[in-house]
């Protein structure tokens, strides 16, 4: 049974036109004006007065992640379902082996977890240490497992963080495999020193989490990672960039022709560090790394998106409940699990506070929400596009609808929402995943285990650096 979307305003990263879309067998079969049903059983969606976007691709998600003595609250079923409710139809999660664990053993664990996914997913492989066998394991990931991107952490020393020698080796190996290295850029030793300083002074409230990881710590590490990538000739992708200092390092590198890409997240665009002053330990809900920055950095990031210096907006979706999880750090901010929910809210927030407030145009919105993550990570044009042959992952978006974000109504499996009370204008009326309507007028109709693993190859050219 096919699906015919009629009379919608189809908007992609480059085009905008009134027309129809016919989907069948999980694929987009045709686009254009005046399309008709193929069979009497086909479903017709009247999209008059609505937009049609390609389904969102969130390239930074952590579901069922063991972290800091706990586990992120969304599993692959609830995490991907929350994504569907917010127009995200594909995710890239992270396999994160323990230090000294075989990378492929870690992959086996994540493959088992992901069997519950309701929408399609891919993996980045985190390299949490570098030993004699790591090069061969990375080769196997790229050539046999369809995982051509590797995550590295310059923070979390003593756990999943790696040192500069290991990072250099990862970059060298990835360069030889045609793979992409992504980097969590924070000066790990400086963070540890500041944490010890504050805790030693009895400064243990959530706000000291942010003060132990100030913007220069991120800026320095971003520049250092870019320098190592320059030495190895490896393209680099900076995850969850939050501040002026880090964007300055990216901008300088791109102007000299180095292939450096960057991602940011809605929380860094829309919140400032005053959230850490909330009473009754509520500031803990906003503890994540890097932390939310002081006022002023947000405008810099929006300008970076508009200028093409930041290619994608992901979520770093990694929710923890306030009660029973965040409260583990009630007397010591270093024990608060880092992370928050966001996958369901990305679409509404970017449209409302990006497009409607004239910070970005609607094509740039589609680009950062769906098309660029698909291109950078080897999913395009299967994902992130509206062309015949692409997967039938589509969002019918009603620009006149509205809602208020709240933990009481979100689909995230956690008890806080860091965007609590935010008003959004524009909501999905229908979300189609793999040719099936899985969200309609506020109601989810997802199928546990329907998601497919997406093997990837990095065949699409990376965005051209700015030269100057």
């Amino acid at each position: 049974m096919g699906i015919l979307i009629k009379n919608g305003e189809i908007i992609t990263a480059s085009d905008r036109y009134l027309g129809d879309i016919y989907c069948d067998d999980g694929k987009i079969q045709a686009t254009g004006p005046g399309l008709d049903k193929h069979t009497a059983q086909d479903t017709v969606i009247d999209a008059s007065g609505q937009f049609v976007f390609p389904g969102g691709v969130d390239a930074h998600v952590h579901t069922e992640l063991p972290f800091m003595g706990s586990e992120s609250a969304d599993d692959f079923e609830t995490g991907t379902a929350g994504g569907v409710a917010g127009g995200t139809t594909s995710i890239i999660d992270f396999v994160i082996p323990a230090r000294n664990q075989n990378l492929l053993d870690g992959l086996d664990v994540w493959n088992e977890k992901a069997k519950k996914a309701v929408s399609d997913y891919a993996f980045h492989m985190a390299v949490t240490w570098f030993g004699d066998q790591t090069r061969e394991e990375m080769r196997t990931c790229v050539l046999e497992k369809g995982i051509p991107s590797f995550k590295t952490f310059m923070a979390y020393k003593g756990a999943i963080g790696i040192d500069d020698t290991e990072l250099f080796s990862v970059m060298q190996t990835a360069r030889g495999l045609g793979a992409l290295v992504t980097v969590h850029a924070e000066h790990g030793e400086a963070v540890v020193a500041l944490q010890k300083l504050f805790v030693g002074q009895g400064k243990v409230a959530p706000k000291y989490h942010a003060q132990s990881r100030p913007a220069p710590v991120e800026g320095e590490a971003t520049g250092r990672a870019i320098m190592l990538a320059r030495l190895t000739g490896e393209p680099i992708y900076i995850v969850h960039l939050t501040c002026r200092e880090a964007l300055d390092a990216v901008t300088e590198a791109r102007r000299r022709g180095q292939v450096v890409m960057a991602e940011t997240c809605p929380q860094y665009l829309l919140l400032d560090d005053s959230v850490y002053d909330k009473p009754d330990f509520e500031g803990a809900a906003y503890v994540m790394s890097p932390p939310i920055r002081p006022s002023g950095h947000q405008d810099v990031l929006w300008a970076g998106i508009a200028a093409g210096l930041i290619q994608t907006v992901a979520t770093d979706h990694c929710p923890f409940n306030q009660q029973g999880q965040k409260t583990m750090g009630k007397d010591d901010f270093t024990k608060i699990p880092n992370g928050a929910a966001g996958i369901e809210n990305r679409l509404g927030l970017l449209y409302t506070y990006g497009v409607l407030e004239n910070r970005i145009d609607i094509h740039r919105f589609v680009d950062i929400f769906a098309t660029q993550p698909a291109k950078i990570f080897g999913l395009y044009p299967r994902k992130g596009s509206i062309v015949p042959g692409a997967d039938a992952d589509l969002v019918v978006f009603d620009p006149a609808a509205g809602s208020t974000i709240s933990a009481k109504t979100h689909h995230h499996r956690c008890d806080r929402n860091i965007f609590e009370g935010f008003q959004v204008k524009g909501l999905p009326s229908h979300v189609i995943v793999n040719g099936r309507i899985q969200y309609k007028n506020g109601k989810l109709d997802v199928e546990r285990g329907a998601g497919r693993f997406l093997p990837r190859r990095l065949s699409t050219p990376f965005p051209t650096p700015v030269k100057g």
Side-chain angles (χ1 to χ4, degrees):
M1 184 174 69
I3 298 173
L4 177 62
I5 303 172
K6 291 286 293 182
N7 306 315
E9 187 170 4
I10 299 165
I11 302 177
T12 70
S14 57
D15 299 307
R16 183 171 188 166
Y17 57 95
L18 292 174
D20 309 331
I21 304 172
Y22 184 75
C23 307
D24 197 12
D25 196 27
K27 300 287 186 182
I28 296 172
Q29 302 293 337
T31 65
L35 299 182
D36 295 317
K37 295 198 298 184
H38 288 202
T39 71
Q41 290 75 37
D42 288 347
T43 298
V44 178
I45 298 172
D46 183 1
S48 299
Q50 300 189 69
F51 302 144
V52 184
F53 303 135
V57 179
D58 192 337
H60 194 149
V61 175
H62 297 286
T63 48
E64 295 184 61
L65 173 66
F67 188 59
M68 295 182 69
S70 194
E71 182 174 279
S72 57
D74 270 325
D75 63 16
F76 271 85
E77 180 179 10
T78 61
T80 52
V84 170
T88 289
T89 54
S90 303
I91 67 166
I92 310 182
D93 207 292
F94 294 79
V95 178
I96 303 186
R99 191 163 182 87
N100 297 320
Q101 183 183 19
N102 184 294
L103 302 186
L104 301 178
D105 289 345
L107 178 58
D108 289 341
V109 173
W110 257 261
N111 279 332
E112 190 63 30
K113 294 179 181 183
K115 289 180 179 179
K116 301 184 288 293
V118 307
S119 63
D120 291 351
Y121 61 93
F123 290 133
H124 306 289
M125 174 60 74
V127 183
T128 56
W129 66 294
F130 200 92
D132 293 339
Q133 75 271 35
T134 308
R135 287 185 177 85
E136 190 56 38
E137 292 170 4
M138 289 177 65
R139 172 178 288 275
T140 300
C141 286
V142 174
L143 300 183
E144 299 179 22
K145 303 298 183 180
I147 303 175
S149 51
F150 297 96
K151 174 70 174 292
T152 57
F153 297 88
M154 299 173 77
Y156 307 123
K157 294 300 182 180
I160 55 177
I162 60 176
D163 63 28
D164 287 358
T165 301
E166 292 172 307
L167 180 55
F168 187 86
S169 296
V170 172
M171 289 179 173
Q172 276 190 315
T173 305
R175 173 65 173 169
L177 295 170
L180 178 63
V181 173
T182 76
V183 179
H184 174 136
E186 290 183 291
H187 193 303
E189 288 84 357
V191 169
V192 170
L194 287 168
Q195 287 176 331
K196 289 180 178 178
L197 175 65
F198 289 133
V199 172
Q201 295 173 344
K203 297 176 178 178
V204 295
K207 68 179 181 180
Y208 294 107
H209 166 79
Q211 293 181 28
S212 72
R213 313 175 95 99
V217 164
E218 181 184 347
E220 185 280 334
T222 302
R224 182 156 39 96
I226 289 170
M227 178 271 293
L228 293 174
R230 186 181 186 185
L231 293 178
T232 59
E234 166 66 4
I236 187 175
Y237 178 99
I238 305 297
V239 302
H240 51 44
L241 187 147
T242 75
C243 62
R244 179 191 303 272
E245 289 86 342
L247 186 58
D248 284 347
V250 169
T251 303
E252 179 185 359
R254 288 176 62 83
R255 282 177 175 163
R256 67 170 173 260
Q258 189 174 347
V259 180
V260 178
M261 293 159 284
E263 149 201 301
T264 193
C265 308
Q267 56 267 35
Y268 303 123
L269 294 167
L270 298 173
L271 302 175
D272 65 52
D273 66 348
S274 64
V275 296
Y276 295 115
D277 292 320
K278 287 180 179 287
D280 301 322
F281 199 62
E282 286 298 316
Y286 302 85
V287 167
M288 60 190 70
S289 295
I292 293 164
R293 299 299 181 194
S295 181
H297 291 278
Q298 298 78 17
D299 289 342
V300 171
L301 298 182
W302 280 114
I305 293 171
L309 297 167
I310 296 173
Q311 284 70 43
T312 70
V313 176
T315 61
D316 195 8
H317 178 82
C318 189
F320 292 96
N321 285 301
Q322 185 81 349
Q323 300 302 320
Q325 292 187 302
K326 295 281 189 176
T327 49
M328 293 191 301
K330 185 75 172 178
D331 299 316
D332 182 350
F333 72 85
T334 68
K335 296 178 181 178
I336 301 171
N338 287 201
I343 192 171
E344 183 175 353
N345 305 126
R346 182 174 63 125
L347 173 65
L349 291 170
L350 288 177
Y351 180 78
T352 302
Y353 297 98
V355 177
L356 295 185
E357 295 198 2
N358 296 315
R359 288 171 165 139
I360 53 174
D361 69 26
I362 201 162
H363 300 292
R364 188 75 181 114
F365 157 76
V366 173
D367 205 30
I368 61 177
F369 176 71
T371 305
Q372 275 302 322
K375 285 184 173 181
I376 290 169
F377 290 108
L379 293 172
Y380 187 85
R382 180 179 180 182
K383 306 292 187 182
S385 68
I386 302 179
V387 295
D391 286 353
D393 291 354
L394 297 161
V395 179
V396 182
F397 184 83
D398 182 358
S403 71
T404 302
I405 295 174
S406 176
K408 295 178 180 178
T409 55
H410 69 196
H411 293 85
H412 306 143
R413 193 166 66 181
C414 61
D415 60 7
R416 295 293 187 276
N417 192 303
I418 59 173
F419 303 107
E420 188 77 31
F422 271 67
Q423 303 289 321
V424 292
K425 182 71 177 296
L427 294 169
S429 65
H430 299 73
V431 180
I432 299 165
V433 185
N434 292 332
R436 189 173 77 82
I437 299 171
Q438 296 199 25
Y439 181 83
K440 179 180 178 180
N441 297 326
K443 294 185 178 180
L444 276 170
D445 181 21
V446 296
E447 179 183 346
R448 179 183 172 97
R452 304 167 297 180
F453 173 69
L454 300 169
R456 298 175 292 122
R457 293 181 60 191
L458 301 185
S459 56
T460 302
F462 293 122
T464 303
V466 177
K467 292 183 178 180

